[in-house]
Amino acid sequence: MTLREMLHKDFGIDLPIAGGWGQSADDPIVLTSQDPNEAALVQLEIARRIYGVQGWYWRQIERTSAGVVGTDVEKYSSEVKYIEGDQIVTEKRNLYFDLSSVIIADEAHLENPSVPVGPPAELNFPRQIGWFHFDGLTNNEPEHPGLGVSIAYSAPKAKMMIYAYDKGLSDQISDRPDESASVEYAQAIADFRSMNPEARPAREHEQGGVRLTIFESGQILSVVLVSPFRDFFFKLRLTLDDRSEQFMVDCAMHTLSNFVSMVGTSNQT
């Protein structure tokens, strides 16, 4: 059975690939699509199936040449974390892809794929934020003008939803970002408390216009975050089902740090 056949059998997806299993530069997965954007998405999909099906936390960290003379083989490297016995294992794992069929303008490596958010925000979001990976996007504008879009991400035992919206207040957000975000943050916290009355705040943080509170309820860790970004509000809700696993908490905090760096004051221009 080929990798393509296995992915189709186990996950119901039919990817434009051929060749080997990608475990070495001598047995690369051949990307048969000429489109660099599609090819990059295929790489991500394969990595997510291989690592995600194990229940591992993982994040893609770099792309480099495999160093095989006369070939277009790329080494796609990821960091993975998982529990083995009573130990937390952190490893670098590589997948090898043959890019010879892909049309890459600068003859370099593929670009990491992004998610076009579309109106009203008109932004591109990465498909990977920290250790979380993109699941889907919902446009709320047609039925609920002002509520923007919802972008879903997940990791093992964890989910994250990012909302980009303006409530029809784009002028107020841009003119008085701190004041408007403070009101929106208070509303987000009130909404969370009304749905989770048993949750207790464990930590609050403010940095670069970003406000967040971390809540704990039994083994569940939740985060509510609000930040003004250009003419929009960005609200994040993250839920981790098992805060007793410290490496999962660390990965969630690293992901939050990544998001804060995306929407903080330094990126407002």
Side-chain angles (χ1 to χ4, degrees):
M1 180 181 293
T2 65
L3 176 61
R4 180 175 181 176
E5 291 170 340
M6 186 202 74
L7 292 172
H8 186 265
K9 175 178 178 292
D10 292 348
F11 302 106
I13 55 175
D14 188 17
L15 301 178
I17 59 174
W21 289 77
Q23 298 303 301
S24 72
D26 296 326
D27 188 38
I29 301 165
V30 178
L31 299 172
T32 59
S33 173
Q34 294 183 335
D35 183 343
N37 294 320
E38 181 182 28
L41 282 172
V42 169
Q43 287 183 314
L44 188 62
E45 187 70 19
I46 291 172
R48 189 168 190 179
R49 300 300 178 179
I50 291 175
Y51 304 138
V53 75
Q54 307 286 340
W56 296 350
Y57 270 71
W58 72 280
R59 63 188 182 107
Q60 190 261 326
I61 53 175
E62 64 180 354
R63 304 167 179 273
T64 56
S65 170
V68 181
V69 178
T71 72
D72 295 314
V73 177
E74 178 184 80
K75 182 168 66 174
Y76 183 97
S77 300
S78 300
E79 183 180 5
V80 304
K81 288 180 180 287
Y82 59 92
I83 296 175
E84 189 172 84
D86 59 354
Q87 299 294 318
I88 297 172
V89 179
T90 301
E91 295 178 335
K92 181 179 179 181
R93 294 286 181 109
N94 300 317
L95 290 170
Y96 294 85
F97 293 91
D98 185 333
L99 310 185
S100 56
S101 296
V102 186
I103 299 175
I104 307 176
D106 58 3
E107 297 183 356
H109 304 292
L110 296 178
E111 297 292 331
N112 290 332
S114 60
V115 181
V117 172
E122 297 293 359
L123 297 170
N124 288 329
F125 258 62
R127 286 181 174 263
Q128 171 184 285
I129 301 180
W131 299 82
F132 284 61
H133 297 272
F134 173 75
D135 286 327
L137 182 148
T138 301
N139 186 352
N140 304 304
E141 284 293 307
E143 295 185 6
H144 304 284
L147 293 190
V149 296
S150 308
I151 316 162
Y153 292 80
S154 67
K157 297 185 179 182
K159 293 183 178 181
M160 180 171 71
M161 187 72 76
I162 298 169
Y163 305 89
Y165 58 97
D166 64 7
K167 288 186 173 179
L169 304 173
S170 58
D171 290 341
Q172 295 182 33
I173 297 171
S174 58
D175 292 342
R176 301 189 299 276
D178 289 340
E179 179 183 338
S180 58
S182 179
V183 172
E184 189 62 25
Y185 175 64
Q187 184 62 56
I189 294 296
D191 291 343
F192 176 83
R193 286 181 176 278
S194 69
M195 294 183 291
N196 304 273
E198 75 289 349
R200 60 180 183 84
R203 180 157 49 112
E204 296 182 357
H205 182 70
E206 183 173 347
Q207 174 185 335
V210 180
R211 299 167 173 83
L212 70 86
T213 298
I214 299 172
F215 292 90
E216 295 176 354
S217 177
Q219 293 303 311
I220 298 174
L221 181 146
S222 301
V223 180
V224 179
L225 177 155
V226 171
S227 174
F229 187 87
R230 299 177 184 172
D231 297 333
F232 301 93
F233 295 119
F234 276 77
K235 180 170 66 177
L236 177 149
R237 285 280 304 274
L238 184 152
T239 302
L240 175 63
D241 291 339
D242 189 359
R243 64 185 180 90
S244 66
E245 294 293 353
Q246 187 58 46
F247 86 95
M248 292 185 181
V249 175
D250 292 343
C251 288
M253 294 302 104
H254 179 261
T255 299
L256 282 176
S257 178
N258 274 231
F259 184 74
V260 168
S261 71
M262 290 168 55
V263 300
T265 302
S266 62
N267 285 329
Q268 298 290 318
T269 57

